[in-house]
């Protein structure tokens, strides 16, 4: 798979709303979103959504991916070993990993936060794992340290912002406007996104470049913003 492929881990009881802002915006920017399960069997999300993975964890390779997203789950303790192991392989290979909610706790237990700045549900929640990274905990809506992105359970929009920024999905001012629109209902931000759509941008396929459908980068950015609600509806 090309490096514009983003992999999203799915497992029983995964929090379906947590990666949804990011995946919808990334798809709008021309990234290919692939869902990865422990096997090829369907899983049921926390909200009752049935998802059949495209790929099993055994076939997941960092070299095929631009990013691995790990949502939280009630059953994270059961799914931790293979997905935490995948996170370690991705980070070792220099491929970004984005974890939110319970997945952050899982990475703490795996020792992947000991030497990286991070955030999560609360410092005391991660401290209860016995990890050694307490000194690197940051009070923030979301946090990026190199190839690791983390966020707490109440911050799916900030989580998406960090992902879009790390992958340079859009120019910085467009990502900022996207965040202000969906986090703060800032009407001026919508105007910025519309101006970007109308004005277009470079067509090199990178930030602001051509999306997978052949539209210009501006249209892809705003199409991703319009559909970035977890339910997939228009803003």
């Amino acid at each position: 798979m090309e490096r514009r492929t983003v992999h999203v881990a799915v497992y029983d009881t995964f929090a379906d709303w947590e990666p949804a802002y990011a995946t919808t915006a990334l798809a709008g920017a021309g990234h290919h979103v692939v869902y990865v399960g422990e096997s090829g069997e369907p899983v049921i999300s926390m909200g009752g959504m049935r998802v059949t993975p495209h790929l099993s964890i055994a076939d997941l390779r960092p070299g095929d991916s631009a990013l691995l997203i790990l949502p939280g789950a009630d059953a994270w303790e059961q799914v931790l070993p293979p997905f935490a192991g995948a996170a370690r392989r991705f980070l070792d290979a220099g491929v970004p990993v984005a974890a939110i909610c319970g997945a952050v706790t899982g990475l703490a237990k795996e020792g992947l936060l000991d030497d990286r700045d991070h955030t999560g549900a609360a410092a005391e929640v991660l401290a209860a794992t016995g990890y050694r990274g307490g000194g690197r905990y940051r009070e923030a809506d979301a946090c990026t340290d190199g190839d690791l992105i983390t966020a707490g359970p109440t911050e799916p929009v900030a989580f998406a912002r960090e992902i879009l920024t790390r992958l340079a999905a859009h120019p910085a001012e467009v990502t900022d406007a996207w965040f202000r629109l969906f986090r703060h209902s800032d009407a001026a931000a919508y105007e910025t996104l519309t101006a970007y759509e109308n004005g277009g941008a470079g067509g090199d396929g990178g930030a602001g470049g051509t999306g997978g459908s052949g539209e210009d980068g501006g249209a892809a950015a705003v199409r991703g913003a319009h559909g970035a609600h977890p339910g997939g509806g228009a803003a």
Side-chain angles (χ1 to χ4, degrees), residues 43-157:
V43 298
I44 305 296
S45 76
M46 200 177 295
M49 184 167 62
R50 181 184 176 91
V51 177
T52 301
H54 301 104
L55 191 69
S56 72
I57 190 73
D59 296 321
L60 178 63
R61 302 285 183 269
D64 297 332
S65 187
L67 173 77
L68 174 62
I69 298 177
L70 300 172
D74 282 345
W76 180 255
E77 293 293 336
Q78 285 71 50
V79 303
L80 170 64
F83 288 98
R88 182 178 292 280
R89 292 193 300 276
F90 269 60
L91 291 172
D92 287 347
V95 180
V97 172
I100 184 170
C101 191
V104 179
T105 306
L107 297 190
K109 293 180 179 180
E110 184 70 9
L112 295 176
L113 306 184
D114 291 349
D115 301 311
R116 296 177 173 94
D117 290 350
H118 59 276
T119 191
E124 55 269 28
V125 172
L126 296 182
T129 68
Y131 86 134
R132 297 177 296 175
R136 304 293 296 266
Y137 185 86
R138 301 290 179 259
E139 293 288 351
D141 55 4
C143 179
T144 298
D145 185 351
D147 290 326
L148 179 68
I149 298 167
T150 50
T154 62
E155 298 292 348
V157 182

Side-chain angles (χ1 to χ4, degrees), residues 24-53:
T24 307
L26 287 169
H31 287 267
H32 181 46
V33 179
V34 172
Y35 292 90
V36 183
E38 189 167 5
S39 68
E41 294 300 312
V43 298
I44 305 296
S45 76
M46 200 177 295
M49 184 167 62
R50 181 184 176 91
V51 177
T52 301

